[in-house]
């Protein structure tokens, strides 16, 4: 009887494991869309980002990238970090004019079908903010981050 219970448990565990593996398997259409958009990239780490969205993490030109695709292969966004000296001057000027005294801690480029945005983590003392600026230098999002640590 114990052998039967152990056997059934093993079979059930295997079925569940296979079901989860199959469920989280990157659809071929998504892999194909990625290969078409980034034909020179060979190593990719895939993660399920949302219910119907996949995120590919990879290196390109010695930088860390992430690209998101829907289950049907539709590209959504590509993000990658940049150094401050790689950001157009009018974008930097917009940050400095709107957030005087803040220091840029991190900067990313976000490319979507709607265009390019610049995402920043900025800091002034204990005050931190996340901001997004469009390619024209207009602030399109800002969010204050609570820096208090207990």
């Amino acid at each position: 009887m114990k052998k039967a219970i152990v056997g059934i448990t093993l079979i059930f565990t295997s079925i569940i494991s296979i079901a989860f593996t199959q469920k989280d398997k990157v659809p071929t259409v998504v892999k194909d869309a990625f290969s078409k958009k980034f034909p020179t990239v060979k190593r990719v780490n895939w993660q399920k980002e949302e219910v119907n969205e996949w995120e590919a993490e990879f290196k390109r030109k010695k930088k860390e990238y992430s690209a998101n695709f829907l289950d049907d292969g539709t590209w959504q966004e590509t993000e990658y970090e940049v150094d401050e000296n790689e950001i157009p001057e009018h974008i930097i000027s917009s940050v400095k004019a709107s957030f005087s005294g803040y220091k840029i801690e991190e900067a990313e480029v976000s490319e979507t079908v709607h265009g390019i945005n610049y995402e920043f983590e900025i800091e002034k003392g204990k005050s931190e903010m996340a901001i997004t600026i469009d390619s024209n230098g207009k602030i399109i999002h800002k969010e204050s981050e609570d820096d208090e640590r207990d």
Side-chain angles (χ1 to χ4, degrees):
M1 183 69 170
K2 285 183 183 178
K3 288 182 182 180
I5 292 173
V6 170
I8 291 170
T9 302
L10 287 174
I11 290 169
F12 183 71
T13 304
S14 296
I15 290 169
I16 289 175
S17 176
I18 290 168
F20 282 118
T21 302
Q22 293 298 327
K23 180 182 175 197
D24 291 340
K25 188 175 178 186
V26 182
T28 301
V29 67
V30 172
K31 288 182 180 179
D32 291 346
F34 176 87
S35 294
K36 188 174 182 179
K37 185 149 186 75
F38 304 101
T40 60
V41 175
K42 302 296 179 211
R43 289 188 170 167
V44 183
N45 291 319
W46 289 99
Q47 295 180 46
K48 189 77 165 168
E49 182 77 1
E50 300 285 335
V51 174
N52 66 339
E53 188 172 342
W54 292 89
E55 180 178 68
E57 294 179 344
F58 56 98
K59 282 191 176 183
R60 186 174 178 207
K61 300 178 185 177
K62 298 183 181 182
K63 292 185 184 265
E64 299 283 335
Y65 277 70
S66 68
N68 293 57
F69 294 83
L70 297 179
D71 281 340
D72 66 2
T74 304
W75 171 74
Q76 296 295 291
E77 176 183 40
T78 300
E79 291 182 323
Y80 55 95
E81 284 192 28
V82 292
D83 294 326
E84 191 172 331
N85 64 352
E86 298 174 277
I87 301 165
E89 184 56 40
H90 71 284
I91 302 296
I92 294 295
S93 295
S94 178
V95 173
K96 289 180 180 178
S98 300
F99 302 96
S100 179
Y102 278 82
K103 180 182 174 192
I104 296 173
E105 294 295 316
E106 284 186 29
E108 282 189 341
V109 173
S110 171
E111 299 175 2
T112 69
V113 293
H114 304 292
I116 294 175
N117 292 324
Y118 297 86
E119 298 175 351
F120 298 93
E121 296 289 329
I122 58 174
E123 184 178 282
K124 179 179 178 182
K126 291 189 176 194
S127 178
E128 293 183 358
M129 295 186 97
I131 60 172
T132 304
I133 299 177
D134 69 14
S135 59
N136 296 316
K138 179 183 175 193
I139 298 164
I140 57 174
H141 177 79
K142 71 177 181 177
E143 181 178 324
S144 180
E145 298 178 359
D146 187 358
D147 192 41
E148 293 181 34
R149 294 181 175 96
D150 297 322

